[in-house]
């Protein structure tokens, strides 16, 4: 991006109710708290959205402040490439990066994928998340979603073999992927992996805590294991080659689409399979992530499906199919 002088910045915190609640091993929440950025130049406005995540020490208020602190730099002509150095990876940079790409695309009269010289995204099957609960409750929730071809099952440690067996019985035809959100231990790792293999699970995401996942390199993994909390941007890829088979790329971790696309290229070069994931958020968060889907084996962009309402011009979902964004939304 060439320098755009007099870029103005606006940012705010927005809240979207979740349908019911969203429960993982670290707890439950009933709303998605996002930070929305708007960057404007020459009567055009680009938008981006992020979800600050307490697991990484982020809060909505601190994220908003970090974004607002970039106003002077943006007004002075800070480019998107310079932004990658000016801010660390994380939610704040993600929202700004995506807003700047949206603004660049509008200014050039191009769709974002053409601007960035990436493949045109098409419709993809997205995973649909089943929250962590007792086996009976998870089976009931799964039964309602058993028509979906790909389900992502949240697990949480003790009792997980019973949970995944109950889920599989309730959805005998669906492909299952599992997310333990760091809740397993070395003591139950192999037992839980075996239970997932028995249930025909395709992939297990982040079974052990980040930084305490060395055991994955010492065991025979019966199914593919995907890094999430253990991987953030390109710099974190190489040390994981012996422990993981796949990596979950999330724009809120990479610090935006610019790094996410570079990370996807690097991950493929290292032999990792790719999942493109999301936090629970609106279609404005999902839209930039659609540009990574041509490289992804797994697409997990169901955030808007978990909300009671999405924003205007949201992504089109047809069952489990998700379609690329209209330019009225982003890019």
């Amino acid at each position: 991006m060439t320098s755009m002088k007099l870029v103005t910045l606006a940012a705010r915190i927005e809240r979207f109710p979740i349908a019911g609640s969203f429960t993982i091993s670290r707890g439950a929440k009933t709303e998605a708290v996002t930070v929305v950025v708007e960057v404007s130049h020459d009567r055009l406005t680009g938008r981006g959205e992020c979800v600050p995540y307490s697991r990484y020490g982020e809060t909505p208020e601190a994220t908003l402040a970090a974004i607002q602190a970039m106003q002077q730099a943006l007004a002075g002509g800070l480019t998107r490439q310079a932004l990658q150095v000016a801010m660390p990876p994380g939610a704040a940079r993600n929202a700004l990066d995506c807003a700047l790409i949206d603004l660049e695309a509008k200014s050039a009269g191009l769709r974002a994928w053409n601007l960035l010289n990436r493949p045109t995204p098409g419709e993809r099957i997205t995973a649909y998340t089943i929250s962590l609960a007792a086996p009976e409750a998870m089976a009931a929730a799964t039964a309602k979603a058993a028509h979906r071809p790909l389900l992502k099952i949240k697990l949480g440690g003790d009792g997980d073999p019973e949970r995944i067996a109950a889920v599989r019985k309730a959805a005998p035809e669906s492909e299952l992927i599992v997310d333990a959100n760091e809740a397993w231990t070395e003591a139950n790792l192999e037992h839980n992996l075996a239970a997932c293999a028995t249930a025909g699970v395709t992939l297990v995401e982040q079974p052990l805590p980040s930084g305490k996942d060395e055991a994955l390199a010492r065991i025979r993994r019966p199914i593919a294991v995907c890094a999430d909390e253990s991987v953030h941007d390109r710099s974190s890829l190489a040390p994981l080659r012996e422990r993981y088979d796949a990596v979950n790329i999330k724009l809120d971790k990479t610090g935006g689409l610019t790094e996410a696309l570079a990370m996807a290229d690097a991950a493929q070069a290292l032999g990792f399979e790719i999942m493109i994931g999301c936090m629970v958020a609106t279609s404005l968060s999902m839209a930039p992530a659609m540009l990574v889907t041509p490289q992804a084996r797994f697409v997990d962009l169901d955030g808007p499906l978990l909300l009671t309402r999405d924003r205007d011009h949201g992504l089109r979902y047809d069952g489990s199919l998700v379609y690329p964004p209209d330019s009225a939304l982003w890019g």
Side-chain angles (χ1 to χ4, degrees), residues 19 49 61 63 69 75 109 117 149 159 202 208 243 264-265 268 308 311:
E49 178 182 279
E61 294 76 18
T63 299
N117 195 30
T202 304
L208 298 177
R243 305 175 192 179
D265 293 341
Q268 282 191 321
T308 59
R311 62 178 70 250

Side-chain angles (χ1 to χ4, degrees), residues 313-331:
H313 309 293
L315 292 181
R316 175 188 167 197
Y317 288 88
D318 182 7
S320 288
L321 283 177
V322 57
Y323 290 80
D326 186 84
S327 59
L329 173 68
W330 183 89

